[in-house]
Amino acid sequence: NVEHIYVRWHGHDLPEGARVRVAWVAEDVGDLVEPNFVIDETLTIAPVPNASARFTLGRPPDGWAEGKYRVEFYVDDLLVESVKVTIGK
């Protein structure tokens, strides 16, 4: 089982001091949590317009729950990208 999930982002023409937030969301993992539950998130202040960063999510003690997830990318609280992820056997 994979130990970590890595999410990398690279900005282009970000506003000065932009707040970049990345959220890992469980869309549908059965009865484990309610739909669209935010599992974890991180916030970075972009020091330059082409800043980049990495978000690391560690494997839970019981392993990754099968189901549908998404990673959301926000710039100054505006959703700019959403990427779908499916975890299976």
Side-chain angles (χ1 to χ4, degrees):
N1 208 349
V2 173
E3 286 293 316
H4 301 288
I5 293 175
Y6 299 98
V7 177
R8 293 183 52 154
W9 63 264
H10 184 87
H12 299 280
D13 299 324
L14 291 170
E16 184 176 336
R19 296 171 60 241
V20 179
R21 183 167 51 100
V22 179
W24 177 256
V25 182
E27 281 188 354
D28 182 3
V29 292
D31 294 336
L32 211 53
V33 295
E34 72 256 13
N36 300 310
F37 179 78
V38 177
I39 297 170
D40 200 2
E41 60 185 350
T42 186
L43 176 68
T44 303
I45 304 300
V48 294
N50 62 344
S52 61
R54 183 176 77 185
F55 173 57
T56 305
L57 192 67
R59 182 173 61 91
D62 295 336
W64 300 106
E66 290 185 30
K68 296 181 181 181
Y69 299 83
R70 71 178 177 272
V71 182
E72 297 178 336
F73 299 89
Y74 295 84
V75 175
D76 292 332
D77 294 322
L78 176 67
L79 179 64
V80 295
E81 185 76 34
S82 182
V83 177
K84 304 282 186 174
V85 178
T86 299
I87 295 179
K89 289 185 179 182

